[in-house]
Amino acid sequence: MALSCGIVGLPNVGKSTLFNAITQAGAESANYPFCTIDPNVGVVEVPDPRLDKLVELVTPKSIVPTAFEFVDIAGLVAGASKGEGLGNKFLAHIREVDAIVHVVRCFQDENITHVNGKIDPLGDIQTINLELILADIDSVDRKIERSRKNLKGGDKKIAQEVEVLERVKEALYEDKPARSLDLSDDERLLIRDLHLITMKPVLYAANVSEAEVADTGNNEYVQKVREFAAAENAEVVQISARVEEEIAELEGEDKAMFLEELGLQESGLNRLIAAAYKLLGLYTYFTAGVQEVRAWTIRQGTKAPQAAGVIHTDFERGFIRAEVVSFDDLSAAGSMTVARERGQLRLEGKEYVVKDGDVMHFRFNV
Ligand SMILES: Nc1nc2c(ncn2[C@@H]2O[C@H](COP(=O)(O)OP(=O)(O)O)[C@@H](O)[C@H]2O)c(=O)[nH]1
Ligand SMILES: [Mg+2]
């Protein structure tokens, strides 16, 4: 199953433009059979210079970067939690994603109407955040009511759950997202089934005009978004969705030249992908054979058998052990043979927690 980011924001802020850029630049879906086939879902490959280095070392027949999904979530307007716009339809989509990219309009363009008549990034953010909070209040209230009925059985776990929900409810009523609460892992687990929207990590994409693609720090709207995000411990990526659409149509040298003209090191899309990957708390490990060099995504803290399971369930079921070398060691050694001679190739068992950049070979038996 692919991890996913939902793109939210008020109407006319540039969500679909950004999403089009994503699908344009999009991945060859044949490589990613686990990804959803849906017009609102775009698969992106995660750029990783380490993959290029491994390709240099191994010269494989094929190269497969790791990927995740972006989902264009339409229909979020003021009053959506009460059925305005697409109303509750968007809620169903947004509950399923792992993280949220919140697009904020920071560009001036008289030809493009702003739903509230003026460019006001903080007002926009608050409008959207309020809808999300209201949607969560609704879920929490209903869950508390249901759980209270079951409380009579004297179930300790339900009592704990209600206690956590009451705390979440209090925060939401103070206009604070559920993620702002300092919940323990156990407490999070108790309410995980609710899929609270405001529990998901958020990244702000400040959509600026074509003239401001390179972040000079001069856009006052972006500055405001940055201040707001800093207080929330959230990241901001400055991007021009229009320009990203143009970049996504280009390849190779044309693309490099266009980026240089714009004064950019890399596309905004790549910066967004990197930021989203980090936001999701993800690690990459590699498999590197002559047939294929490939990057795989895991969550931080994943143990070797579960990491193997990302490749195939048989790998997890029949896991025996893993041969592991860190990317840095392999890269410095220049080949697997030298890394082995240097004693840098380790054998790891079921309890091994996979690190970012591990190059792995699994032994399994089914
Ligand atoms: N000038 C300018 N227009 C943009 C930019 N991004 C989006 N737009 C335009 O704003 C309008 C609404 O964009 P769209 O992506 O459909 O917004 P959505 O409602 O959030 O999906 C379209 O006409 C876009 O071309 C941008 O960076 N600069
Ligand atoms: Mg749209």
Side-chain angles (χ1 to χ4, degrees):
M1 193 209 65
L3 289 149
S4 60
C5 283
I7 303 174
V8 305
L10 284 179
N12 268 2
V13 297
K15 298 184 297 297
S16 296
T17 309
L18 179 64
F19 181 75
N20 288 343
I22 287 168
T23 43
Q24 268 282 347
E28 192 73 53
S29 57
N31 281 330
Y32 306 105
F34 51 82
C35 287
T36 321
I37 302 169
D38 181 317
N40 296 319
V41 178
V43 182
V44 293
E45 293 181 344
V46 181
D48 191 329
R50 294 173 299 184
L51 197 62
D52 304 327
K53 179 70 190 177
L54 289 176
V55 168
E56 236 175 74
L57 296 182
V58 183
T59 50
K61 290 206 177 99
S62 76
I63 308 152
V64 187
T66 190
F68 66 84
E69 299 180 336
F70 278 104
V71 188
D72 187 6
I73 295 175
L76 193 45
V77 294
S81 59
K82 296 285 163 280
E84 293 292 325
L86 290 180
N88 290 326
K89 242 197 191 143
F90 88 87
L91 290 174
H93 284 129
I94 200 174
R95 287 225 167 83
E96 288 168 11
V97 300
D98 301 292
I100 292 173
V101 174
H102 187 154
V103 181
V104 187
R105 177 162 169 179
C106 296
F107 66 89
Q108 303 257 25
D109 189 333
E110 280 162 18
N111 298 317
I112 293 156
T113 324
H114 185 286
V115 279
N116 297 330
K118 66 170 199 293
I119 311 297
D120 175 15
L122 293 192
D124 292 2
I125 290 177
Q126 270 149 11
T127 302
I128 292 289
N129 285 352
L130 180 63
E131 285 312 314
L132 302 180
I133 284 173
L134 288 172
D136 276 354
I137 285 180
D138 209 40
S139 323
V140 169
D141 277 347
R142 271 188 284 158
K143 180 73 180 176
I144 289 177
E145 201 176 309
R146 260 179 288 143
S147 296
R148 281 244 169 84
K149 283 187 191 137
N150 299 331
L151 252 183
K152 300 195 180 92
D155 188 324
K156 253 197 191 147
K157 206 169 148 204
I158 296 179
Q160 281 172 340
E161 180 197 290
V162 170
E163 191 267 326
V164 177
L165 287 172
E166 290 288 0
R167 274 163 62 203
V168 172
K169 182 175 169 172
E170 202 179 307
L172 294 171
Y173 272 94
E174 287 169 11
D175 271 0
K176 291 188 195 130
R179 86 183 77 83
S180 68
L181 284 171
D182 199 11
L183 297 180
S184 70
D185 288 348
D186 288 344
E187 288 169 334
R188 270 166 210 274
L189 204 61
L190 280 172
I191 59 167
R192 195 178 58 179
D193 288 352
L194 270 183
H195 300 291
L196 291 177
I197 301 165
T198 66
M199 191 68 99
K200 299 175 196 289
V202 176
L203 174 73
Y204 292 95
N207 189 14
V208 296
S209 71
E210 297 83 321
E212 293 178 304
V213 274
D215 190 351
T216 53
N218 288 333
N219 184 312
E220 55 175 317
Y221 299 128
V222 179
Q223 289 316 315
K224 283 188 184 156
V225 176
R226 284 198 190 283
E227 280 162 29
F228 178 87
E232 267 201 339
N233 261 331
E235 289 265 346
V236 180
V237 175
Q238 178 167 333
I239 199 166
S240 173
R242 273 254 177 101
V243 174
E244 289 308 319
E245 248 186 340
E246 291 176 42
I247 296 175
E249 280 172 18
L250 302 172
E251 270 177 64
E253 231 166 79
D254 292 341
K255 186 166 170 171
M257 265 166 61
F258 188 51
L259 286 176
E260 204 183 311
E261 265 170 47
L262 293 167
L264 295 178
Q265 300 277 333
E266 59 178 338
S267 70
L269 201 53
N270 279 4
R271 277 184 290 123
L272 184 71
I273 292 168
Y277 201 74
K278 196 173 133 203
L279 180 72
L280 285 164
L282 302 178
Y283 276 174
T284 299
Y285 79 84
F286 303 95
T287 48
V290 286
Q291 285 300 326
E292 180 183 80
V293 165
R294 184 162 185 156
W296 303 89
T297 297
I298 48 169
R299 288 182 188 272
Q300 288 174 24
T302 301
K303 291 183 180 172
Q306 286 70 44
V310 174
I311 302 177
H312 199 286
T313 45
D314 281 353
F315 280 33
E316 178 172 352
R317 206 155 43 91
F319 179 90
I320 301 169
R321 60 182 174 270
E323 286 174 29
V324 189
V325 57
S326 75
F327 169 80
D328 289 340
D329 284 346
L330 178 58
S331 172
S335 76
M336 206 57 100
T337 316
V338 177
R340 193 189 306 262
E341 281 165 12
R342 290 182 179 174
Q344 290 166 329
L345 200 62
R346 290 167 277 130
L347 278 180
E348 301 284 1
K350 287 191 164 126
E351 289 305 312
Y352 177 68
V353 178
V354 178
K355 296 193 185 71
D356 188 48
D358 276 350
V359 181
M360 313 205 48
H361 180 76
F362 297 107
R363 304 262 151 150
F364 70 102
N365 183 9
V366 280

